[in-house]
Amino acid sequence: TTHTHTHKQNIIINFSLSNHFPIIMASNMDEVTAATTPETPAAASTDKPPVTHTDEPPPARSAEARDVVCRHLPARLWQDEGYREAEDAWGHTTGKVVLAQYHEGADAVCVYQAFNPDIARYALEHQKFEGCPTYSMGRMTWIKPNFLWMMFRSAWGGKKNQNAVLAIWIKRDAFERYLSQAHTRGGKPEGGDNVRLQWDPDHYPSGLPNKKRRAVQLGLKNIRTFADGTDLVRIEDVSAFAHQQGKIAKHPKASDATLDHLRVARERVYHVEAKEARIALFGDQGPGHC
């Protein structure tokens, strides 16, 4: 069911239930001012601002306007919600789906990567990856907008060299540029950049595959503006949150009732604005308003 309210710069929430129409999902966090810090698990929020929805995405923002807004952003952009709330928002979706968190104030989309502690510490301190001795821009690095897919891939931050889970906020125009350049077989756009698109089965918190829904990940290679921070708004640490919630999701006696206590990233429908990005994601068969 689509819910429409009267805020002129918000995003679409769930416009299709069909297997034939792919869906892009992201969270609108315009009014979020959570004060959790990167060093501690994000506390369960009790007073969430309402998410409002319209039929159009926010208009693109100039670099100058974004810089002004970013100086006044809250200390913490990333937000969580109960898994049951998340299920209500996107649990019924099928087909090709991109789950992500979108912050309107920052005009940015959140993606995830899991690293060893050395790379993560460098990225958090310098808010970029370039310059880290153990980070190679020439090696393909995979970013995942879907939180639960990242938790599956990293075992909730439990795998070796994937203990540190980072929430990386990418400027929306850069995110759409990556999508526009993406090729399923790793084509190289002008300049030698390489953005690879891959669809994989989505996963439940337990790690079991969701055979009805597919999640996207993007492989980036030689994308200097990603590595040097030009395309980024902020890098945040969600490792402690992942570890804490992983204890619930992976508990040997976990049951359906256990999920009532699980918290995940807050994610909603994201409207892909660039036509080239929609074609790269879904080909000519995708709906014009993905």
PDB file of all heavy atoms in Angstrom, residues 75-103:
ATOM      1  N   ALA A  75      25.396  14.529  14.689  1.00  0.00           N
ATOM      2  CA  ALA A  75      26.637  13.780  14.889  1.00  0.00           C
ATOM      3  C   ALA A  75      26.536  12.365  14.349  1.00  0.00           C
ATOM      4  O   ALA A  75      27.537  11.763  13.969  1.00  0.00           O
ATOM      5  CB  ALA A  75      26.996  13.760  16.374  1.00  0.00           C
ATOM      6  N   ARG A  76      25.336  11.838  14.312  1.00  0.00           N
ATOM      7  CA  ARG A  76      25.128  10.466  13.844  1.00  0.00           C
ATOM      8  C   ARG A  76      24.029  10.481  12.793  1.00  0.00           C
ATOM      9  O   ARG A  76      22.896  10.889  13.068  1.00  0.00           O
ATOM     10  CB  ARG A  76      24.711   9.594  15.029  1.00  0.00           C
ATOM     11  CG  ARG A  76      24.475   8.127  14.714  1.00  0.00           C
ATOM     12  CD  ARG A  76      25.760   7.353  14.569  1.00  0.00           C
ATOM     13  NE  ARG A  76      25.575   5.910  14.795  1.00  0.00           N
ATOM     14  CZ  ARG A  76      26.544   5.022  14.681  1.00  0.00           C
ATOM     15  NH1 ARG A  76      27.760   5.417  14.357  1.00  0.00           N
ATOM     16  NH2 ARG A  76      26.313   3.745  14.899  1.00  0.00           N
ATOM     17  N   LEU A  77      24.331  10.022  11.585  1.00  0.00           N
ATOM     18  CA  LEU A  77      23.335   9.958  10.520  1.00  0.00           C
ATOM     19  C   LEU A  77      22.588   8.633  10.529  1.00  0.00           C
ATOM     20  O   LEU A  77      21.382   8.582  10.297  1.00  0.00           O
ATOM     21  CB  LEU A  77      24.008  10.142   9.152  1.00  0.00           C
ATOM     22  CG  LEU A  77      24.771  11.439   8.897  1.00  0.00           C
ATOM     23  CD1 LEU A  77      25.310  11.435   7.471  1.00  0.00           C
ATOM     24  CD2 LEU A  77      23.893  12.648   9.140  1.00  0.00           C
ATOM     25  N   TRP A  78      23.307   7.552  10.761  1.00  0.00           N
ATOM     26  CA  TRP A  78      22.757   6.198  10.622  1.00  0.00           C
ATOM     27  C   TRP A  78      21.695   5.931  11.679  1.00  0.00           C
ATOM     28  O   TRP A  78      21.845   6.310  12.838  1.00  0.00           O
ATOM     29  CB  TRP A  78      23.888   5.186  10.734  1.00  0.00           C
ATOM     30  CG  TRP A  78      23.498   3.791  10.366  1.00  0.00           C
ATOM     31  CD1 TRP A  78      23.467   3.247   9.124  1.00  0.00           C
ATOM     32  CD2 TRP A  78      23.102   2.745  11.261  1.00  0.00           C
ATOM     33  NE1 TRP A  78      23.075   1.934   9.179  1.00  0.00           N
ATOM     34  CE2 TRP A  78      22.846   1.600  10.484  1.00  0.00           C
ATOM     35  CE3 TRP A  78      22.940   2.681  12.648  1.00  0.00           C
ATOM     36  CZ2 TRP A  78      22.431   0.395  11.040  1.00  0.00           C
ATOM     37  CZ3 TRP A  78      22.533   1.487  13.205  1.00  0.00           C
ATOM     38  CH2 TRP A  78      22.277   0.354  12.408  1.00  0.00           C
ATOM     39  N   GLN A  79      20.619   5.257  11.269  1.00  0.00           N
ATOM     40  CA  GLN A  79      19.521   4.947  12.188  1.00  0.00           C
ATOM     41  C   GLN A  79      19.091   3.492  12.058  1.00  0.00           C
ATOM     42  O   GLN A  79      19.238   2.864  10.997  1.00  0.00           O
ATOM     43  CB  GLN A  79      18.316   5.840  11.901  1.00  0.00           C
ATOM     44  CG  GLN A  79      18.326   7.123  12.725  1.00  0.00           C
ATOM     45  CD  GLN A  79      17.996   6.835  14.175  1.00  0.00           C
ATOM     46  OE1 GLN A  79      16.875   6.517  14.528  1.00  0.00           O
ATOM     47  NE2 GLN A  79      18.998   6.944  15.029  1.00  0.00           N
ATOM     48  N   ASP A  80      18.560   2.951  13.153  1.00  0.00           N
ATOM     49  CA  ASP A  80      18.069   1.583  13.173  1.00  0.00           C
ATOM     50  C   ASP A  80      16.580   1.561  13.487  1.00  0.00           C
ATOM     51  O   ASP A  80      15.994   2.587  13.859  1.00  0.00           O
ATOM     52  CB  ASP A  80      18.834   0.755  14.216  1.00  0.00           C
ATOM     53  CG  ASP A  80      18.604   1.269  15.621  1.00  0.00           C
ATOM     54  OD1 ASP A  80      19.243   2.272  16.018  1.00  0.00           O
ATOM     55  OD2 ASP A  80      17.780   0.687  16.349  1.00  0.00           O
ATOM     56  N   GLU A  81      15.976   0.410  13.365  1.00  0.00           N
ATOM     57  CA  GLU A  81      14.584   0.204  13.729  1.00  0.00           C
ATOM     58  C   GLU A  81      14.388  -1.269  14.049  1.00  0.00           C
ATOM     59  O   GLU A  81      15.253  -2.109  13.768  1.00  0.00           O
ATOM     60  CB  GLU A  81      13.650   0.624  12.598  1.00  0.00           C
ATOM     61  CG  GLU A  81      13.741  -0.248  11.359  1.00  0.00           C
ATOM     62  CD  GLU A  81      12.803   0.192  10.249  1.00  0.00           C
ATOM     63  OE1 GLU A  81      11.937   1.045  10.511  1.00  0.00           O
ATOM     64  OE2 GLU A  81      12.929  -0.319   9.126  1.00  0.00           O
ATOM     65  N   GLY A  82      13.254  -1.590  14.657  1.00  0.00           N
ATOM     66  CA  GLY A  82      12.945  -2.977  14.942  1.00  0.00           C
ATOM     67  C   GLY A  82      12.762  -3.776  13.665  1.00  0.00           C
ATOM     68  O   GLY A  82      12.244  -3.270  12.667  1.00  0.00           O
ATOM     69  N   TYR A  83      13.175  -5.025  13.701  1.00  0.00           N
ATOM     70  CA  TYR A  83      13.058  -5.870  12.508  1.00  0.00           C
ATOM     71  C   TYR A  83      11.597  -5.998  12.072  1.00  0.00           C
ATOM     72  O   TYR A  83      11.313  -6.056  10.873  1.00  0.00           O
ATOM     73  CB  TYR A  83      13.650  -7.251  12.780  1.00  0.00           C
ATOM     74  CG  TYR A  83      13.509  -8.202  11.620  1.00  0.00           C
ATOM     75  CD1 TYR A  83      14.186  -7.965  10.425  1.00  0.00           C
ATOM     76  CD2 TYR A  83      12.688  -9.328  11.707  1.00  0.00           C
ATOM     77  CE1 TYR A  83      14.051  -8.831   9.344  1.00  0.00           C
ATOM     78  CE2 TYR A  83      12.559 -10.203  10.634  1.00  0.00           C
ATOM     79  CZ  TYR A  83      13.237  -9.942   9.457  1.00  0.00           C
ATOM     80  OH  TYR A  83      13.102 -10.794   8.392  1.00  0.00           O
ATOM     81  N   ARG A  84      10.678  -6.035  13.014  1.00  0.00           N
ATOM     82  CA  ARG A  84       9.260  -6.137  12.647  1.00  0.00           C
ATOM     83  C   ARG A  84       8.801  -4.883  11.900  1.00  0.00           C
ATOM     84  O   ARG A  84       7.986  -4.963  10.975  1.00  0.00           O
ATOM     85  CB  ARG A  84       8.406  -6.370  13.891  1.00  0.00           C
ATOM     86  CG  ARG A  84       8.677  -7.688  14.615  1.00  0.00           C
ATOM     87  CD  ARG A  84       8.564  -8.877  13.690  1.00  0.00           C
ATOM     88  NE  ARG A  84       8.649 -10.147  14.412  1.00  0.00           N
ATOM     89  CZ  ARG A  84       8.805 -11.320  13.837  1.00  0.00           C
ATOM     90  NH1 ARG A  84       8.897 -11.414  12.519  1.00  0.00           N
ATOM     91  NH2 ARG A  84       8.883 -12.425  14.565  1.00  0.00           N
ATOM     92  N   GLU A  85       9.294  -3.720  12.300  1.00  0.00           N
ATOM     93  CA  GLU A  85       8.977  -2.496  11.564  1.00  0.00           C
ATOM     94  C   GLU A  85       9.511  -2.584  10.139  1.00  0.00           C
ATOM     95  O   GLU A  85       8.848  -2.175   9.179  1.00  0.00           O
ATOM     96  CB  GLU A  85       9.597  -1.284  12.265  1.00  0.00           C
ATOM     97  CG  GLU A  85       9.054  -0.959  13.646  1.00  0.00           C
ATOM     98  CD  GLU A  85       9.807   0.196  14.262  1.00  0.00           C
ATOM     99  OE1 GLU A  85       9.630   1.336  13.782  1.00  0.00           O
ATOM    100  OE2 GLU A  85      10.586  -0.035  15.205  1.00  0.00           O
ATOM    101  N   ALA A  86      10.733  -3.086  10.034  1.00  0.00           N
ATOM    102  CA  ALA A  86      11.338  -3.229   8.711  1.00  0.00           C
ATOM    103  C   ALA A  86      10.521  -4.178   7.844  1.00  0.00           C
ATOM    104  O   ALA A  86      10.272  -3.906   6.660  1.00  0.00           O
ATOM    105  CB  ALA A  86      12.773  -3.737   8.850  1.00  0.00           C
ATOM    106  N   GLU A  87      10.103  -5.290   8.435  1.00  0.00           N
ATOM    107  CA  GLU A  87       9.289  -6.255   7.688  1.00  0.00           C
ATOM    108  C   GLU A  87       8.006  -5.616   7.173  1.00  0.00           C
ATOM    109  O   GLU A  87       7.576  -5.876   6.051  1.00  0.00           O
ATOM    110  CB  GLU A  87       8.937  -7.442   8.585  1.00  0.00           C
ATOM    111  CG  GLU A  87       9.978  -8.530   8.635  1.00  0.00           C
ATOM    112  CD  GLU A  87       9.401  -9.820   9.182  1.00  0.00           C
ATOM    113  OE1 GLU A  87       8.664  -9.749  10.191  1.00  0.00           O
ATOM    114  OE2 GLU A  87       9.680 -10.890   8.624  1.00  0.00           O
ATOM    115  N   ASP A  88       7.382  -4.788   7.994  1.00  0.00           N
ATOM    116  CA  ASP A  88       6.155  -4.116   7.578  1.00  0.00           C
ATOM    117  C   ASP A  88       6.406  -3.224   6.369  1.00  0.00           C
ATOM    118  O   ASP A  88       5.526  -3.035   5.522  1.00  0.00           O
ATOM    119  CB  ASP A  88       5.589  -3.276   8.723  1.00  0.00           C
ATOM    120  CG  ASP A  88       4.979  -4.130   9.823  1.00  0.00           C
ATOM    121  OD1 ASP A  88       4.703  -5.321   9.571  1.00  0.00           O
ATOM    122  OD2 ASP A  88       4.796  -3.614  10.945  1.00  0.00           O
ATOM    123  N   ALA A  89       7.606  -2.643   6.299  1.00  0.00           N
ATOM    124  CA  ALA A  89       7.919  -1.702   5.224  1.00  0.00           C
ATOM    125  C   ALA A  89       8.296  -2.399   3.926  1.00  0.00           C
ATOM    126  O   ALA A  89       7.892  -1.961   2.847  1.00  0.00           O
ATOM    127  CB  ALA A  89       9.060  -0.775   5.661  1.00  0.00           C
ATOM    128  N   TRP A  90       9.091  -3.475   3.997  1.00  0.00           N
ATOM    129  CA  TRP A  90       9.581  -4.083   2.762  1.00  0.00           C
ATOM    130  C   TRP A  90       9.571  -5.613   2.762  1.00  0.00           C
ATOM    131  O   TRP A  90      10.001  -6.233   1.791  1.00  0.00           O
ATOM    132  CB  TRP A  90      10.997  -3.598   2.442  1.00  0.00           C
ATOM    133  CG  TRP A  90      11.975  -3.618   3.602  1.00  0.00           C
ATOM    134  CD1 TRP A  90      12.416  -2.540   4.309  1.00  0.00           C
ATOM    135  CD2 TRP A  90      12.639  -4.755   4.181  1.00  0.00           C
ATOM    136  NE1 TRP A  90      13.303  -2.932   5.286  1.00  0.00           N
ATOM    137  CE2 TRP A  90      13.465  -4.293   5.237  1.00  0.00           C
ATOM    138  CE3 TRP A  90      12.618  -6.125   3.905  1.00  0.00           C
ATOM    139  CZ2 TRP A  90      14.254  -5.130   6.010  1.00  0.00           C
ATOM    140  CZ3 TRP A  90      13.405  -6.969   4.701  1.00  0.00           C
ATOM    141  CH2 TRP A  90      14.210  -6.467   5.731  1.00  0.00           C
ATOM    142  N   GLY A  91       9.048  -6.217   3.802  1.00  0.00           N
ATOM    143  CA  GLY A  91       9.093  -7.663   3.904  1.00  0.00           C
ATOM    144  C   GLY A  91       8.348  -8.395   2.807  1.00  0.00           C
ATOM    145  O   GLY A  91       8.666  -9.537   2.485  1.00  0.00           O
ATOM    146  N   HIS A  92       7.349  -7.746   2.210  1.00  0.00           N
ATOM    147  CA  HIS A  92       6.532  -8.399   1.184  1.00  0.00           C
ATOM    148  C   HIS A  92       7.107  -8.220  -0.220  1.00  0.00           C
ATOM    149  O   HIS A  92       6.570  -8.766  -1.182  1.00  0.00           O
ATOM    150  CB  HIS A  92       5.126  -7.792   1.213  1.00  0.00           C
ATOM    151  CG  HIS A  92       5.140  -6.312   1.036  1.00  0.00           C
ATOM    152  ND1 HIS A  92       5.300  -5.446   2.090  1.00  0.00           N
ATOM    153  CD2 HIS A  92       5.063  -5.552  -0.074  1.00  0.00           C
ATOM    154  CE1 HIS A  92       5.298  -4.199   1.642  1.00  0.00           C
ATOM    155  NE2 HIS A  92       5.164  -4.245   0.329  1.00  0.00           N
ATOM    156  N   THR A  93       8.188  -7.421  -0.365  1.00  0.00           N
ATOM    157  CA  THR A  93       8.688  -7.118  -1.696  1.00  0.00           C
ATOM    158  C   THR A  93       9.357  -8.331  -2.336  1.00  0.00           C
ATOM    159  O   THR A  93       9.920  -9.178  -1.652  1.00  0.00           O
ATOM    160  CB  THR A  93       9.707  -5.967  -1.649  1.00  0.00           C
ATOM    161  OG1 THR A  93      10.776  -6.316  -0.763  1.00  0.00           O
ATOM    162  CG2 THR A  93       9.050  -4.690  -1.166  1.00  0.00           C
ATOM    163  N   THR A  94       9.297  -8.403  -3.652  1.00  0.00           N
ATOM    164  CA  THR A  94       9.882  -9.522  -4.394  1.00  0.00           C
ATOM    165  C   THR A  94      10.626  -9.003  -5.613  1.00  0.00           C
ATOM    166  O   THR A  94      10.480  -7.844  -6.009  1.00  0.00           O
ATOM    167  CB  THR A  94       8.786 -10.507  -4.847  1.00  0.00           C
ATOM    168  OG1 THR A  94       7.835  -9.804  -5.665  1.00  0.00           O
ATOM    169  CG2 THR A  94       8.076 -11.129  -3.655  1.00  0.00           C
ATOM    170  N   GLY A  95      11.411  -9.880  -6.203  1.00  0.00           N
ATOM    171  CA  GLY A  95      12.162  -9.504  -7.383  1.00  0.00           C
ATOM    172  C   GLY A  95      13.446  -8.779  -7.026  1.00  0.00           C
ATOM    173  O   GLY A  95      13.995  -8.935  -5.942  1.00  0.00           O
ATOM    174  N   LYS A  96      13.953  -7.971  -7.946  1.00  0.00           N
ATOM    175  CA  LYS A  96      15.182  -7.220  -7.726  1.00  0.00           C
ATOM    176  C   LYS A  96      14.898  -6.006  -6.858  1.00  0.00           C
ATOM    177  O   LYS A  96      14.154  -5.109  -7.252  1.00  0.00           O
ATOM    178  CB  LYS A  96      15.779  -6.790  -9.066  1.00  0.00           C
ATOM    179  CG  LYS A  96      16.277  -7.954  -9.901  1.00  0.00           C
ATOM    180  CD  LYS A  96      16.837  -7.469 -11.235  1.00  0.00           C
ATOM    181  CE  LYS A  96      17.395  -8.621 -12.042  1.00  0.00           C
ATOM    182  NZ  LYS A  96      17.921  -8.175 -13.359  1.00  0.00           N
ATOM    183  N   VAL A  97      15.507  -5.993  -5.675  1.00  0.00           N
ATOM    184  CA  VAL A  97      15.230  -4.951  -4.683  1.00  0.00           C
ATOM    185  C   VAL A  97      16.545  -4.428  -4.119  1.00  0.00           C
ATOM    186  O   VAL A  97      17.429  -5.203  -3.777  1.00  0.00           O
ATOM    187  CB  VAL A  97      14.373  -5.500  -3.524  1.00  0.00           C
ATOM    188  CG1 VAL A  97      14.115  -4.421  -2.487  1.00  0.00           C
ATOM    189  CG2 VAL A  97      13.061  -6.054  -4.050  1.00  0.00           C
ATOM    190  N   VAL A  98      16.674  -3.112  -4.037  1.00  0.00           N
ATOM    191  CA  VAL A  98      17.833  -2.509  -3.389  1.00  0.00           C
ATOM    192  C   VAL A  98      17.364  -1.894  -2.081  1.00  0.00           C
ATOM    193  O   VAL A  98      16.606  -0.935  -2.077  1.00  0.00           O
ATOM    194  CB  VAL A  98      18.490  -1.424  -4.262  1.00  0.00           C
ATOM    195  CG1 VAL A  98      19.687  -0.814  -3.532  1.00  0.00           C
ATOM    196  CG2 VAL A  98      18.919  -2.008  -5.586  1.00  0.00           C
ATOM    197  N   LEU A  99      17.800  -2.456  -0.972  1.00  0.00           N
ATOM    198  CA  LEU A  99      17.495  -1.903   0.341  1.00  0.00           C
ATOM    199  C   LEU A  99      18.647  -1.014   0.779  1.00  0.00           C
ATOM    200  O   LEU A  99      19.804  -1.413   0.711  1.00  0.00           O
ATOM    201  CB  LEU A  99      17.295  -3.030   1.354  1.00  0.00           C
ATOM    202  CG  LEU A  99      16.072  -3.916   1.144  1.00  0.00           C
ATOM    203  CD1 LEU A  99      16.096  -5.083   2.115  1.00  0.00           C
ATOM    204  CD2 LEU A  99      14.800  -3.115   1.310  1.00  0.00           C
ATOM    205  N   ALA A 100      18.317   0.194   1.218  1.00  0.00           N
ATOM    206  CA  ALA A 100      19.357   1.130   1.640  1.00  0.00           C
ATOM    207  C   ALA A 100      18.750   2.146   2.591  1.00  0.00           C
ATOM    208  O   ALA A 100      17.553   2.169   2.814  1.00  0.00           O
ATOM    209  CB  ALA A 100      19.979   1.829   0.442  1.00  0.00           C
ATOM    210  N   GLN A 101      19.578   2.978   3.151  1.00  0.00           N
ATOM    211  CA  GLN A 101      19.124   4.062   4.007  1.00  0.00           C
ATOM    212  C   GLN A 101      19.495   5.372   3.330  1.00  0.00           C
ATOM    213  O   GLN A 101      20.642   5.547   2.902  1.00  0.00           O
ATOM    214  CB  GLN A 101      19.797   3.957   5.379  1.00  0.00           C
ATOM    215  CG  GLN A 101      19.213   4.902   6.408  1.00  0.00           C
ATOM    216  CD  GLN A 101      19.721   4.616   7.822  1.00  0.00           C
ATOM    217  OE1 GLN A 101      20.174   5.517   8.503  1.00  0.00           O
ATOM    218  NE2 GLN A 101      19.651   3.360   8.260  1.00  0.00           N
ATOM    219  N   TYR A 102      18.508   6.271   3.215  1.00  0.00           N
ATOM    220  CA  TYR A 102      18.716   7.552   2.541  1.00  0.00           C
ATOM    221  C   TYR A 102      18.516   8.686   3.540  1.00  0.00           C
ATOM    222  O   TYR A 102      17.544   8.695   4.296  1.00  0.00           O
ATOM    223  CB  TYR A 102      17.735   7.708   1.379  1.00  0.00           C
ATOM    224  CG  TYR A 102      17.739   9.085   0.750  1.00  0.00           C
ATOM    225  CD1 TYR A 102      18.772   9.491  -0.073  1.00  0.00           C
ATOM    226  CD2 TYR A 102      16.708   9.985   1.012  1.00  0.00           C
ATOM    227  CE1 TYR A 102      18.783  10.749  -0.640  1.00  0.00           C
ATOM    228  CE2 TYR A 102      16.713  11.254   0.454  1.00  0.00           C
ATOM    229  CZ  TYR A 102      17.756  11.632  -0.373  1.00  0.00           C
ATOM    230  OH  TYR A 102      17.782  12.890  -0.914  1.00  0.00           O
ATOM    231  N   HIS A 103      19.453   9.633   3.558  1.00  0.00           N
ATOM    232  CA  HIS A 103      19.342  10.795   4.447  1.00  0.00           C
ATOM    233  C   HIS A 103      19.130  12.029   3.589  1.00  0.00           C
ATOM    234  O   HIS A 103      20.018  12.442   2.841  1.00  0.00           O
ATOM    235  CB  HIS A 103      20.616  10.937   5.285  1.00  0.00           C
ATOM    236  CG  HIS A 103      20.474  11.894   6.427  1.00  0.00           C
ATOM    237  ND1 HIS A 103      20.323  13.248   6.246  1.00  0.00           N
ATOM    238  CD2 HIS A 103      20.448  11.686   7.774  1.00  0.00           C
ATOM    239  CE1 HIS A 103      20.219  13.845   7.426  1.00  0.00           C
ATOM    240  NE2 HIS A 103      20.292  12.915   8.365  1.00  0.00           N
TER     241      HIS A 103
END
